[in-house]
Amino acid sequence: MHIKYSSKFIAYFKISSVLFLIVSFGSQAAFCSLRDPVSAIQTLYSEDYQFKSVVTDVTEADRAQLKEELPFTIHQSEVSKHTLYVLFTKDELGGFMQARSEWAKWGLVEIAWAINVDRTLKGFYFQRCRSPQCNDVVAENISQVIKGKSFAELKSLLSEDGEQLSELGQNSFSMAPDLALLTLRSALKTLAITDISWEKDIQNLSLH
């Protein structure tokens, strides 16, 4: 049986689909925070750090710089207001934490990131991930590849346009390449936005 749809219904469906995508991407910004910073410190760091949060609004100038540094295109709503968690013991800077939300075919993926003082990656864990590939074995495999790497080293694991893994990346991630690609792109966004949006804050912290 062939069903005919009116032009009004088709127009409504198109508008609804667009609104759904806007809401979905827009909701990512709201999830860009650690669910439990104390638990995140215990998971990602061995030291007993204290922390303070620094919130910033990502400016248009920040977004322009991000576009220059990242090999792939990002949606404007992916970078808006973010919180950087600064770890310290007494007067000693210990590192940073940040959370990012990524949209995937299986839903929203929330990743908690730990960053070393020199802005290399310390580690990560999935706060939320509904993919059947999100398990401890896969996470450990990804972690072994990206842990301790700088922005440039992570970027070399992607193709020139950033839409897929490079040959090096394909050889490095032995399992769940789709999840590895998503995690790798999230790592690059995290390091880039930390250096760009919190540059002055980090410099001031390092001076004390």
Side-chain angles (χ1 to χ4, degrees), residues 23-33 76-83 99-101 108:
V23 170
S24 296
F25 278 107
S27 66
Q28 286 183 280
F31 285 98
C32 288
S33 61
Q76 182 167 343
S77 64
E78 289 188 68
V79 283
S80 53
K81 179 175 287 188
H82 282 285
T83 302
R100 281 213 54 82
S101 297
L108 201 65

Side-chain angles (χ1 to χ4, degrees), residues 52-170:
K52 61 181 178 180
S53 57
V54 183
V55 182
T56 189
D57 288 304
V58 181
T59 66
E60 287 301 321
D62 292 341
R63 291 191 182 94
Q65 192 172 343
L66 278 169
K67 289 179 181 178
E68 290 181 7
E69 294 195 13
L70 295 173
F72 49 84
T73 303
I74 58 172
H75 193 275
Q76 182 167 343
S77 64
E78 289 188 68
V79 283
S80 53
K81 179 175 287 188
H82 282 285
T83 302
L84 181 70
Y85 296 84
V86 181
L87 278 61
F88 61 93
T89 53
K90 295 183 179 180
D91 296 328
E92 184 178 348
L93 185 61
F96 311 95
M97 294 191 305
Q98 194 186 141
R100 281 213 54 82
S101 297
E102 308 293 344
W103 184 251
K105 59 184 177 182
W106 51 79
L108 201 65
V109 179
E110 296 175 36
I111 308 176
W113 290 103
I115 307 166
N116 293 313
V117 176
D118 64 358
R119 254 83 80 217
T120 55
L121 283 181
K122 182 174 179 62
F124 79 96
Y125 68 86
F126 296 110
Q127 288 192 137
R128 166 193 172 114
C129 184
R130 293 180 176 176
S131 167
Q133 297 179 332
C134 282
N135 57 61
D136 292 342
V137 175
V138 171
E140 179 59 26
N141 175 259
I142 297 173
S143 180
Q144 287 178 356
V145 177
I146 66 177
K147 187 176 181 179
K149 282 188 168 54
S150 65
F151 182 89
E153 291 171 325
L154 293 170
K155 192 175 177 180
S156 69
L157 298 171
L158 287 180
S159 60
E160 189 173 344
D161 62 2
E163 295 301 322
Q164 56 189 335
L165 296 174
S166 64
E167 184 177 351
L168 176 60
Q170 291 173 18

Side-chain angles (χ1 to χ4, degrees), residues 33-47:
S33 61
L34 291 173
R35 294 178 181 273
D36 186 347
V38 174
S39 176
I41 292 173
Q42 294 172 346
T43 301
L44 296 169
Y45 290 85
S46 57
E47 298 86 352

